[in-house]
Amino acid sequence: MHTDDRRAADLEELGLTNYEARVYLALIRRDVFTAAEVAREAQVPRQRVYDVLEGLTRRQLAVLHPGRVAGYSAVAPEIAVDRLMEQQRRSLGRLERLSTELAAELLPTWSSGRTHTDPLDYVEVLRDAADISDRFARIQTEAERELLSFSKPPYITPTENTAGLAAAARLRAASLTMRSLYTKDLLDDPELLDIALRFVEAGEEIRIAEALPLKMIVADGSTVMCDMPDPVARAEATTALVIRHPSLAETLRLAFQALWDEAPTLEQAMTLRTAGS
């Protein structure tokens, strides 16, 4: 593996995106770069480099030098790595607390389930993409009070998701709740961002999380649909589970709320992204 490719991969392990890693590695080669210069040096599309530089600056891995033509420089590698490690430690701490709470919440359900004569009568297993898409649409259509979802790529359902738009409008009209947490990948995809804004117009509340553990939707505090990617099959292979179990659904509602409370709104995330442009 080429040295820069290896270094970029290591930086990605520490939490940077591929573009962020490549831009940082370019910035350390010289004292100051303009955005156009670093885009060429890092081989990153010009229209993307401003967002990448804004992200590095916000994470205190790069420094903006204002002027007629703004310049950017990298912070020292040892400082950058320390800051990335600290961010990982904070994230791991949050996940450890969440996992401890989740295990404690799930244990009574698991224990009571040991005596159940047919433990799978409330679980559906779906492997076909069309079946997964249809079941997801039905969950949204049948929701009566609340829909909470973790949304992250890759997406299987049709991009228009008419069932979801109808559910958002219906729940808003009844002063009920439809909320989605997206990963920050949403901000880098104009097509998906446009779809998300249509959902906001329809009545959905959206926030942006740094990362999400899986894709899922919790309906009415009683039904959960979650995506379980196959760790050994081809990349696009996945299995979806639909679980009708109020205790599990309530536990995942708590997990959703914990991440929701820490995440910026879509408007805030978009403002942060464009602030340095």
Side-chain angles (χ1 to χ4, degrees):
M1 180 183 288
H2 189 278
T3 300
D4 271 359
D5 290 338
R6 177 180 58 78
R7 290 170 175 168
D10 289 342
L11 287 170
E12 288 178 58
E13 287 288 329
L14 288 174
L16 295 186
T17 66
N18 179 262
Y19 279 175
E20 286 173 338
R22 284 158 55 183
V23 168
Y24 179 80
L25 291 174
L27 287 173
I28 66 175
R29 296 174 193 150
R30 204 166 78 196
D31 185 37
V32 178
F33 277 94
T34 66
E37 290 169 341
V38 79
R40 288 193 299 270
E41 184 74 15
Q43 297 183 352
V44 169
R46 176 74 174 273
Q47 65 271 25
R48 293 294 310 282
V49 76
Y50 296 99
D51 291 342
V52 174
L53 287 166
E54 189 277 333
L56 290 173
T57 303
R58 177 162 34 87
R59 298 175 72 172
Q60 297 182 302
L61 305 178
V63 177
L64 168 65
H65 303 283
R68 189 176 61 84
V69 178
Y72 296 85
S73 58
V75 302
E78 66 272 20
I79 296 175
V81 170
D82 281 348
R83 286 173 178 167
L84 287 172
M85 285 298 298
E86 179 58 29
Q87 292 166 10
Q88 291 294 321
R89 280 190 286 268
R90 288 198 299 269
S91 178
L92 180 59
R94 287 194 298 271
L95 289 175
E96 285 178 343
R97 291 192 298 273
L98 181 60
S99 64
T100 299
E101 294 169 2
L102 183 58
E105 290 282 349
L106 289 175
L107 182 58
T109 302
W110 180 85
S111 298
S112 65
R114 299 312 90 200
T115 60
H116 200 287
T117 56
D118 185 9
L120 296 181
D121 62 357
Y122 51 82
V123 177
E124 296 175 53
V125 181
L126 304 172
R127 293 188 174 89
D128 180 76
D131 290 340
I132 293 171
S133 179
D134 289 345
R135 191 67 178 91
F136 178 63
R138 186 148 55 94
I139 285 174
Q140 296 174 102
T141 299
E142 294 174 354
E144 297 179 351
R145 301 185 308 279
E146 180 183 72
L147 284 170
L148 308 175
S149 61
F150 285 168
S151 299
K152 59 181 291 188
Y155 297 99
I156 295 176
T157 55
T159 54
E160 62 270 17
N161 190 7
T162 53
L165 288 169
R170 174 170 52 83
L171 291 172
R172 179 177 64 177
S175 299
L176 299 172
T177 300
M178 183 169 177
R179 290 176 171 173
S180 284
L181 273 167
Y182 284 83
T183 57
K184 58 185 180 180
D185 305 82
L186 174 72
L187 304 178
D188 298 326
D189 190 321
E191 181 181 358
L192 286 176
L193 181 57
D194 180 66
I195 293 169
L197 291 172
R198 292 192 346 236
F199 269 83
V200 171
E201 290 178 5
E204 183 175 49
E205 298 175 71
I206 288 177
R207 293 189 180 183
I208 306 299
E210 279 293 314
L212 295 171
L214 78 170
K215 290 188 287 187
M216 76 165 190
I217 186 167
V218 182
D220 294 338
S222 61
T223 300
V224 176
M225 182 176 187
C226 57
D227 181 57
M228 306 293 286
D230 192 324
V232 297
R234 64 190 188 279
E236 68 272 16
T238 191
T239 297
L241 300 181
V242 179
I243 307 169
R244 296 175 298 279
H245 199 296
S247 296
L248 175 62
E250 180 59 27
T251 298
L252 293 176
R253 285 182 78 250
L254 293 173
F256 178 93
Q257 191 63 47
L259 293 177
W260 178 267
D261 289 343
E262 293 187 355
T265 65
L266 176 59
E267 182 179 5
Q268 289 169 340
M270 292 173 65
T271 300
L272 286 172
R273 187 190 67 164
T274 57
S277 298

